[in-house]
Amino acid sequence: IMYYGDSVRSKTIAGVDNINSSSRFFFTGDAKISSSVKAGFEMMVEWAGATRSDVMNQLGSTTNQYYGASGVVKGAGTPLIIPTVTEGSGDSALAIRTANWWLEDKVLGRVTVGRVNIQGPASTIDVSGGDLAVAAWSNVYLQGGGFYLQNKSDPFGRMSTITFKSLANFCYGCSREEGIRYDSASIGGLLLGAFWGQQDRFTVQARYAAEIAGFQVAAGAGYQHDNLLGYEDPNLPAPTRNDTEQQGYALSAKHIASGLFLQGQYGQTHFKVVSGVVNTGAKTDGKSWHIQGGWAKNAFGPGMTTLYGEYGHGEGYATGTSAGTAAAINNGNFTTIGTSGATITADSYNFYGIGVTQKIDAAAMTLYLGWRHFDPKVSTNADGALPISSFDTITGGARILF
């Protein structure tokens, strides 16, 4: 169940699929080739509904923002220039998240071929033990990214055409693609990984976990390079090139005896070359960071109880893109905020929140409830700071593993 509220309107939506941990199931299997080598496969199937937590908005769903008529992703993450709103309810389809086979040696590690979760920039590593990432992951647009930023100055209460995802346009450590992935065997708690795939995307990653002097500690670092050349979309007036680099770092620690923990993440996207429709040479790097702290203990018997607070910041992901044009608006609920066709020269957001998770071990179940308050800021070359409202989200529900 997800609630949204800004200075003009609020909305509560039941039956939302929480994309922090979406509804999915696996087909998996493995066979032993020798005492040290085995082979296996994985196919992960996901419910591809319109009621995803990252596309729901004040009016329904922005699914058409991400997918064309053929189901091919087009421009995912770019500012929404033409608001296209569809009803969030109705029957849906299943989608394939991963489909791959692998070979693993106890000493040399595992090689996986097919559609995989890639190794890449590290997101926040949850050491609480309370499934905190289900309620509050560091990739913040996965809950509420589809909501439109509210124009505070419009007398009719109309929304801007800018979505929150435009300001939080990153997903460190959660990309999937066809290619080859490598995972090393554990080297004293250190895990190394790499990926190479389509469009010459490649990544490297290192993760470490251990118990030291009564503390559980974990750390991660990763790098990703995307080189998309000559993207042939007939809707574009010219081929585009998108050459970007991402890096992400994470550090977490928990005092085992007391249950107190602190964890955080920093990520950066460096736009080396962005040309074509969006960029005019003004695209800046995007940066974000996220920190969480709290208490996690099985104090009542059914399972781990986790109480947490968090704070985060992001900036630069939308700078250099368009804030929208009046001619593109085809819905009376929207208005151009500021001058039509203006370019965003600065963007940022701060957020803070609190929440609780409760694990029910006998049912492999986690109940969760989390609140976040966001303060977005956007400036353009023609208007300076735009009158954008802050907003709140509350997400609650349950996940059952079986």
Side-chain angles (χ1 to χ4, degrees), residues 46-325:
E46 178 184 52
W47 176 48
T51 52
R52 294 164 53 103
S53 61
D54 60 335
V55 298
M56 292 302 299
N57 59 55
Q58 295 93 325
L59 302 177
S61 170
T62 54
T63 304
N64 287 2
Q65 173 187 355
Y66 301 98
Y67 299 95
S70 63
V72 178
V73 175
K74 293 183 177 181
T78 60
L80 183 62
I81 304 303
I82 303 178
T84 303
V85 180
T86 60
E87 178 55 48
S89 61
D91 296 336
S92 300
L94 295 177
I96 304 298
R97 286 176 64 95
T98 63
N100 56 68
W101 61 269
W102 50 264
L103 284 172
E104 180 179 292
D105 181 271
K106 289 182 178 180
V107 176
L108 300 178
R110 175 184 292 194
V111 174
T112 306
V113 180
R115 182 165 179 81
V116 301
N117 292 301
I118 71 174
Q119 300 279 35
S123 60
T124 297
I125 302 172
D126 182 20
V127 296
S128 70
D131 290 344
L132 194 54
V134 178
W137 200 17
S138 53
N139 294 301
V140 293
Y141 85 82
L142 295 180
Q143 291 180 331
F147 285 99
Y148 301 99
L149 302 182
Q150 178 62 48
N151 183 353
K152 291 194 298 185
S153 65
D154 185 71
F156 302 102
R158 293 175 296 184
M159 297 170 286
S160 79
T161 59
I162 305 171
T163 64
F164 177 58
K165 182 178 180 179
S166 300
L167 273 60
N169 184 19
F170 60 87
C171 198
Y172 298 118
C174 59
S175 297
R176 295 179 301 280
E177 192 166 317
E178 288 75 14
I180 303 173
R181 168 174 168 159
Y182 170 73
D183 296 88
S184 75
S186 178
I187 309 169
L190 175 66
L191 296 173
L192 303 176
F195 168 85
W196 175 80
Q198 292 188 25
Q199 298 287 354
D200 285 334
R201 169 180 283 177
F202 69 87
T203 71
V204 291
Q205 186 183 87
R207 293 172 69 100
Y208 176 78
E211 289 188 11
I212 303 173
F215 285 85
Q216 182 182 354
V217 297
Y223 169 85
Q224 176 174 322
H225 182 221
D226 298 334
N227 190 8
L228 307 180
L229 297 176
Y231 176 43
E232 297 178 359
D233 187 333
N235 298 316
L236 300 180
T240 65
R241 173 174 175 170
N242 186 350
D243 192 350
T244 62
E245 294 178 336
Q246 292 184 344
Q247 49 188 303
Y249 309 93
L251 182 63
S252 306
K254 179 181 178 180
H255 185 241
I256 299 173
S258 67
L260 297 175
F261 66 91
L262 186 67
Q263 54 197 31
Q265 183 262 0
Y266 171 81
Q268 178 175 323
T269 300
H270 174 44
F271 298 94
K272 297 177 64 177
V273 178
V274 181
S275 62
V277 173
V278 176
N279 189 53
T280 59
K283 195 77 186 76
T284 65
D285 291 351
K287 303 174 184 179
S288 62
W289 56 267
H290 175 234
I291 188 168
Q292 293 175 324
W295 170 83
K297 271 285 196 178
N298 186 354
F300 307 107
M304 188 79 74
T305 301
T306 305
L307 303 173
Y308 71 88
E310 60 179 344
Y311 189 84
H313 171 81
E315 61 181 73
Y317 293 98
T319 298
T321 64
S322 172
T325 61

Side-chain angles (χ1 to χ4, degrees), residues 1-6 9-16 51 56-60 87 147 369 392-396:
I1 302 174
M2 185 166 66
Y3 165 87
Y4 168 91
D6 56 37
R9 57 174 59 79
S10 63
K11 185 179 183 73
T12 301
I13 312 161
V16 175
T51 52
M56 292 302 299
N57 59 55
Q58 295 93 325
L59 302 177
E87 178 55 48
F147 285 99
L369 181 65
D392 297 88
T393 62
I394 302 175
T395 306

Side-chain angles (χ1 to χ4, degrees), residues 25-37:
F25 59 90
F26 298 80
F27 295 103
T28 62
D30 62 75
K32 185 176 291 186
I33 297 174
S34 68
S35 59
S36 62
V37 179

